[in-house]
Amino acid sequence: MVDSTGLPEFADVVAAARRIAPHAVETPLIESAALNARLGGRVLLKLESLQRTGSFKFRGACNRIGLIPEGERSRGVVAFSSGNHAQGVAAAAALFAMPAVIVMPKDAPRAKIAGTKAFGAEIVFYDRLTDDREAIAQRLCAARGAALIRPFDDAGIMAGQGTAGLEIARQAAARGVRLDAVLVPCSGGGLVSGIALALSGASPGTQAISVEPENFDGMRRSLAAGNRVGAPSGALSLADALMSPVPGRLPFAIAEIHMTAGLAVGDDNLAAAVAYAARHLKLIIEPGGSAGLAALLGGQYDVHGKTVAAILTGGNCDFETVAACLSRAPDA
Amino acid sequence: MVDSTGLPEFADVVAAARRIAPHAVETPLIESAALNARLGGRVLLKLESLQRTGSFKFRGACNRIGLIPEGERSRGVVAFSSGNHAQGVAAAAALFAMPAVIVMPKDAPRAKIAGTKAFGAEIVFYDRLTDDREAIAQRLCAARGAALIRPFDDAGIMAGQGTAGLEIARQAAARGVRLDAVLVPCSGGGLVSGIALALSGASPGTQAISVEPENFDGMRRSLAAGNRVGAPSGALSLADALMSPVPGRLPFAIAEIHMTAGLAVGDDNLAAAVAYAARHLKLIIEPGGSAGLAALLGGQYDVHGKTVAAILTGGNCDFETVAACLSRAPDA
């Protein structure tokens, strides 16, 4: 793979796993007897909440930044994000001793700004109403010769995020489990397409299934339509990390080859999954990161008689959000 | 081992691991680069919060109940506890299809009562001010021929809880790590003594170190004195699960052989550890279950240049407690 604009291949995911191995956590794949009993099937949970920076985003950022040739590293990287991608890029850049600039909205929560700064990144603020964050990022890249690290529409990001799928395949095989499917939270589609690619080589026959919030289910609609179409969006979702109404170009190109269908879950499902994770699994999972579990608890995916894995990812979840979900889903 | 009143041996821990393997979770041993950087040493975290019923208590209960001969199982088990031990016993009894009676204070939080009932246990209530819960439990045992499952002063419980130590030794060895110590939350001492026993055979040279709340540091004082002495207690501790002022007879007998010293942490340390776990590790850990991490963050154990493991356990932590710790330790 010479650049990050072509379609990634299975070999790129394997190479990414080697590249990020010294830095990334091989996150555990756990099982809860109580959850299995409740759902009438077998569920393995991949705890990306325990990944460096608290989310799978580190995998993609670390691989993508690792692909930058040595001679260009001093020029640094630029990203725009107020969430998990910002922290993933900032942390990965620090590991390669590269300067990082993150373009963030000036009204971003202070905790997120502080979290990103803590990794040594420089923050450039923009105004959500009047500025174009991508244009600002492009200008910064041009001025510094820095590389723009996109959140999902990038082969290096997809291959890096797909390493979670390689691990799931290996960890499931080690306990003699054959997986019917892996349920994956989906926004722009980088993670689910990367995992689909990983499974195509490492666990053929295991389906990667996207799970999106209702009204932001662009991947589900696009897979059904056979081309990239947008979701209505408009309304907000509890899953603030998954509010991309249309899948990325490269993620959808991979999804068309390796995936068949996607699922959508409502805010009640997401709140119940966050509450279940906190109450019964003792895990802090952000609403977006709980989408796979939400589809299982909500019945959008019927796991009776099947064995599946679901990605759980923590990330930038503040405590108030978890508390609100616990109130909203007292019986979850 | 013919009964549960003699001292357990290393072979009992190995046998316990085999006995509970079909039921217990082999919990992950994870590492956080950010925590290592902050502490200037290497820390592996054993996530007993992901154990069945959310705490290590299941290991002991499952082993102890599994030791009851087939012919006596229909008579059931009795335990007194309002916390993690109650749920561990109730869940383990259900797996062996045995009736379980849990003696609980009538003012126990409804969530704990409901949690215990959910495992199919019968609850017998007592009045904290006027009743003797142990006498009630003994009467129930005599009437039914049931076995009393004590929380820590029992060889079967200690051997079962010690299986966490066997796993730590194996998981650390698998990544080529030699552990200087394992930091273990301590109340009556069943867990830390079981782990000390496990390490004596599986990782000689690795110290098991008890961590107790200040004023409830009976193990620390007893190890220093060379015999069982009580802590002043009196005041309450944030770690409601660790408020035993004196170690159990059998746990201290093992501790005298295999341990050298213990540590004590204050409520501020415990709150900071709970907050750190929630904020940075995305884990819900109860104050008592965070004692090992508290000793690392609080500096009671200096990990510079060393490699240690710490047990983290979740258990019966309600959300208000975590929220209170986050408020109390805004910078943790």
Side-chain angles (χ1 to χ4, degrees):
Chain A
M1 188 171 69
V2 282
D3 65 57
S4 271
T5 58
L7 272 192
E9 297 174 4
F10 177 69
D12 295 314
V13 186
V14 175
R18 247 192 331 264
R19 191 171 294 113
I20 72 174
H23 310 296
V25 176
E26 180 172 320
T27 54
L29 187 69
I30 65 151
E31 193 166 2
S32 159
L35 180 62
N36 286 347
R38 173 163 170 161
L39 293 174
R42 190 165 179 195
V43 179
L44 304 175
L45 300 167
K46 178 70 169 166
L47 303 190
E48 281 297 292
S49 56
L50 301 176
Q51 186 50 264
R52 204 155 174 154
T53 73
S55 91
F56 67 92
K57 291 283 189 182
F58 177 78
R59 294 179 184 268
C62 186
N63 183 57
R64 176 64 181 79
I65 291 175
L67 283 165
I68 296 172
E70 294 264 5
E72 297 173 20
R73 289 192 179 162
S74 62
R75 298 184 220 154
V77 294
V78 175
F80 46 89
S81 161
S82 61
N84 298 319
H85 181 57
Q87 299 204 24
V89 169
L95 287 171
F96 290 94
M98 290 171 69
V101 184
I102 311 292
V103 181
M104 294 180 93
K106 64 183 178 193
D107 59 347
R110 284 200 301 177
K112 292 187 183 179
I113 296 170
T116 307
K117 272 190 184 158
F119 292 111
E122 179 188 343
I123 317 278
V124 169
F125 292 103
Y126 72 94
D127 187 313
R128 282 181 205 264
L129 299 174
T130 58
D131 294 337
D132 175 347
R133 66 178 188 174
E134 186 155 353
I136 294 172
Q138 295 281 18
R139 270 200 304 276
L140 286 164
C141 286
R144 303 177 183 219
L148 179 62
I149 310 296
R150 297 179 180 283
F152 49 80
D153 217 344
D154 179 299
I157 293 287
M158 293 159 67
Q161 294 180 350
T163 59
L166 283 190
E167 288 178 18
I168 290 171
R170 186 173 59 241
Q171 291 167 321
R175 48 182 101 170
V177 170
R178 202 207 140 278
L179 291 171
D180 294 296
V182 180
L183 302 183
V184 187
C186 178
S187 184
L191 179 62
V192 72
S193 63
I195 286 177
L197 193 56
L199 295 174
S200 73
S203 184
T206 302
Q207 287 280 314
I209 298 177
S210 58
V211 186
E212 296 165 293
E214 287 170 1
N215 298 316
F216 296 91
D217 53 344
M219 180 65 88
R220 188 184 72 77
R221 291 166 189 259
S222 298
L223 285 168
N227 58 288
R228 281 169 77 214
V229 294
S233 66
L236 291 176
S237 165
L238 193 58
D240 59 310
L242 302 185
M243 297 204 298
S244 172
V246 59
R249 190 179 61 80
L250 296 178
F252 182 67
I254 292 291
E256 262 199 303
I257 302 168
H258 295 294
M259 291 166 57
T260 53
L263 300 171
V265 291
D267 274 3
D268 282 343
N269 302 128
L270 291 164
V274 170
Y276 185 92
R279 212 171 263 139
H280 302 292
L281 304 172
K282 314 292 174 190
L283 296 170
I284 296 179
I285 305 297
E286 68 176 284
S290 80
L293 178 60
L296 291 166
L297 291 170
Q300 283 85 356
Y301 186 93
D302 183 358
V303 75
H304 277 93
K306 291 184 179 156
T307 302
V308 303
I311 303 269
L312 291 186
T313 171
N316 281 304
C317 191
D318 59 38
F319 219 62
E320 290 68 27
T321 303
V322 179
C325 291
L326 283 161
S327 300
R328 183 167 176 166
D331 302 318
Chain B
M1 189 170 68
V2 283
D3 65 56
S4 271
T5 58
L7 272 191
E9 297 175 3
F10 177 68
D12 295 315
V13 186
V14 175
R18 246 190 333 262
R19 191 171 294 114
I20 73 173
H23 309 297
V25 176
E26 179 173 319
T27 55
L29 187 70
I30 66 151
E31 191 164 4
S32 159
L35 180 62
N36 287 348
R38 173 164 170 160
L39 294 174
R42 190 166 179 193
V43 179
L44 304 175
L45 300 166
K46 178 71 168 166
L47 302 190
E48 281 297 290
S49 56
L50 301 176
Q51 187 51 264
R52 206 156 174 152
T53 73
S55 91
F56 68 92
K57 291 282 187 180
F58 177 79
R59 294 179 183 269
C62 186
N63 183 56
R64 176 64 181 79
I65 291 175
L67 283 165
I68 296 172
E70 293 264 5
E72 297 173 20
R73 288 190 181 166
S74 62
R75 297 183 219 154
V77 294
V78 175
F80 46 87
S81 162
S82 60
N84 298 320
H85 181 58
Q87 298 205 24
V89 169
L95 286 171
F96 290 94
M98 290 172 69
V101 185
I102 311 293
V103 180
M104 294 180 94
K106 63 184 178 189
D107 59 347
R110 284 200 302 175
K112 293 186 182 178
I113 297 169
T116 307
K117 272 190 184 160
F119 292 112
E122 179 189 343
I123 318 279
V124 168
F125 292 103
Y126 72 94
D127 186 312
R128 283 180 204 264
L129 299 175
T130 58
D131 294 337
D132 174 346
R133 66 180 188 171
E134 185 155 356
I136 294 172
Q138 295 279 17
R139 271 201 303 278
L140 284 164
C141 286
R144 305 179 181 217
L148 179 64
I149 310 296
R150 296 179 181 283
F152 49 80
D153 216 344
D154 179 299
I157 292 288
M158 292 158 67
Q161 295 181 350
T163 59
L166 283 191
E167 288 177 18
I168 290 171
R170 187 174 58 241
Q171 291 166 322
R175 48 183 100 169
V177 170
R178 203 207 140 278
L179 291 171
D180 293 297
V182 180
L183 302 182
V184 187
C186 180
S187 184
L191 179 63
V192 72
S193 62
I195 286 176
L197 193 55
L199 295 174
S200 73
S203 184
T206 302
Q207 287 281 315
I209 298 177
S210 58
V211 186
E212 296 165 295
E214 285 170 2
N215 297 315
F216 296 91
D217 53 343
M219 180 65 88
R220 188 184 72 77
R221 290 166 190 260
S222 299
L223 284 168
N227 58 286
R228 280 169 76 214
V229 295
S233 65
L236 291 176
S237 166
L238 192 59
D240 59 311
L242 302 184
M243 297 204 298
S244 172
V246 59
R249 188 178 63 80
L250 296 178
F252 182 66
I254 292 290
E256 263 200 302
I257 301 168
H258 295 294
M259 291 166 57
T260 53
L263 301 171
V265 291
D267 274 3
D268 282 343
N269 302 128
L270 292 165
V274 170
Y276 185 91
R279 211 170 266 138
H280 302 291
L281 305 172
K282 314 292 173 190
L283 296 170
I284 296 180
I285 305 298
E286 68 176 287
S290 80
L293 177 60
L296 291 166
L297 291 170
Q300 283 86 356
Y301 186 93
D302 183 358
V303 76
H304 276 94
K306 291 184 179 156
T307 302
V308 302
I311 303 268
L312 290 185
T313 171
N316 282 304
C317 190
D318 58 38
F319 219 62
E320 290 69 27
T321 303
V322 179
C325 290
L326 283 161
S327 301
R328 183 166 176 166
D331 302 318

